[in-house]
Amino acid sequence: MILTVTLNAALDVTYRVSALVPGTTHRVTDVAERAGGKGVNVARVLHALGEPVVATGLAGGACGARIRSLLADEGVPEAFIPVAAESRRTVVVAEPAAATGLWEPGPTVTPDEWAIFLGRFADLARDARVVVLSGSLPPGVPVGAYRALIETVHGAGARAVLDSSGAPLRHGLGARPDLVKPNAEELAGLAGRPLPRPAMAVDAVRALTARTVVASFGPEGLLAVSEQGSWHAFLPDPIAGNPTGAGDACVAALARGIVHNQPWADRLTDAVALSAAAVRQPVAGSVDLTEYRRLRRDVTIKEL
Amino acid sequence: MILTVTLNAALDVTYRVSALVPGTTHRVTDVAERAGGKGVNVARVLHALGEPVVATGLAGGACGARIRSLLADEGVPEAFIPVAAESRRTVVVAEPAAATGLWEPGPTVTPDEWAIFLGRFADLARDARVVVLSGSLPPGVPVGAYRALIETVHGAGARAVLDSSGAPLRHGLGARPDLVKPNAEELAGLAGRPLPRPAMAVDAVRALTARTVVASFGPEGLLAVSEQGSWHAFLPDPIAGNPTGAGDACVAALARGIVHNQPWADRLTDAVALSAAAVRQPVAGSVDLTEYRRLRRDVTIKEL
């Protein structure tokens, strides 16, 4: 089983309007709600692939209850731990050619609630082969949270995949995750200099304290550095669409690759094709599996 | 006891931002949540005045649960009936000098849920002296809902106050409510011609099939027509502020006036002063009672 962790889960709310006019009132008739947060998107993709998965994390108040009920409606197994404060909403006002985001900060988690989560997480990690830790931390969760969780994962004999940014990512690297998936921006933040293209980033990637690193460069593809070798995996032509959620689809493929001990060429082919299939979908965390299988044939892998 | 009915209750969400820029993402750190809907605002004002009140209506899903828990936090007694679909959010993006509204339509109510509400409402109406019916109807509730509820109120020996608009208001008038409170716009809709000032509206008000009518004209004050006489009640100077919720404060004063059988001069003085005190507050459904008592002294009442 793969366990995904979303400490700052979200209720993604999309308002479709013909035009957003500041200073006026809009009667929104087209409202879509979805469970969100990076780890939730990873779980949704794994579930679509038929891979056994459980989504955990912190779900706050009525908004958290709604997130859990939406996951249940989708059939994604979840073991979220409730907290008292309200989980965040991420509101997107979607016009035909533009999207405006309003992102809440997330619930303030109390020390007692965090302690309860740590206990429950240790139990869940014992049943997992791979644990995926994704996204930002809500207020109140210690900045070293991912480091502590990765140590628990390793203590339980499982593998840890980390996909975060900023200070939570830097602290998490201290526990030497089995795989880390920065994007170009996060990698630049860690390296302290811009690294917009895979070929420029090999040294920076090798410097990270993780067993393997798969860095994502949007339409330029993936740079993978492991003990077995280094590769650049990409599609010949860029895919048009919505890049939100492409990184989560990539992480889903990589976590599945660890579970099934796939050869690296297969893992990277899946990761590039699933990311691209996610870009083609209008909402984050969805993939069209037919598209994914078709795109697999177009992936090029170069050993570096 | 006064019973307020909010069939399309709302979770009022306010995002305070320095500037709303369409096409970009805003990290909103200042999020305020509040139980909303016109009847909820009436209940909040009555509760602040120390008047026994119960707020009922339909509360849907996790959003409805949040509305009920926020009312409980405020100490406002509530007897909302749950429905499965999600209650609406009314999102306001507040910039320093402008407000942008995003209003969801509300839950779709099933015939079974409506039947359950009707049964519970009949029980609640038996304990009420006045029942206040406010606002719009959510999808699925029959357009004649207010007519049916007013008939139940009268059957229980209580008085009915109706504050709605459009077709629900027109249908509700068919049951001859004891008091109806249109604003200038609603009155114009009923009369089929613009009636921007109280003096122009007396005939249109007399034509309504309600025992008494109190029409609100914003800063121009109230026009009251009852079997005891007709009056124009107003403040000498307009009050600057947020007019949302002023009508609900007015209705709260009028409902209290019926319960205590106050002379009309007192009812209208209270209604004008409470409305103005609500305008002075930044959020709907709040009044500053000190301000209200001070403003009472400035109200002028002219018999027509």
Side-chain angles (χ1 to χ4, degrees), chain A residues 11 13 15 20-28 31 33 62 66 86 89 91 93 95 98-105, chain B residues 11 13 15 20-28 31 33 62 66 86 89 91 93 95 98-105:
Chain A
L11 181 63
V13 180
Y15 294 146
L20 174 63
V21 185
T24 69
T25 292
H26 308 69
R27 290 194 182 270
V28 183
V31 179
E33 279 190 347
R66 180 71 180 148
E86 290 290 312
R89 281 166 293 228
V91 175
V93 185
E95 297 170 86
T100 304
L102 294 155
W103 291 13
E104 299 182 8
Chain B
L11 181 64
V13 180
Y15 295 146
L20 174 63
V21 185
T24 70
T25 291
H26 307 70
R27 289 193 183 269
V28 183
V31 179
E33 280 190 346
R66 180 71 180 147
E86 290 289 312
R89 282 165 293 229
V91 175
V93 186
E95 297 170 86
T100 305
L102 295 154
W103 292 13
E104 300 183 7

Side-chain angles (χ1 to χ4, degrees), chain B residues 187-215:
Chain B
L187 204 57
L190 291 168
R193 63 181 194 279
L195 298 166
R197 309 201 59 177
M200 303 164 73
V202 179
D203 288 348
V205 162
R206 280 192 214 278
L208 298 184
T209 55
R211 283 185 58 161
T212 54
V213 178
V214 178

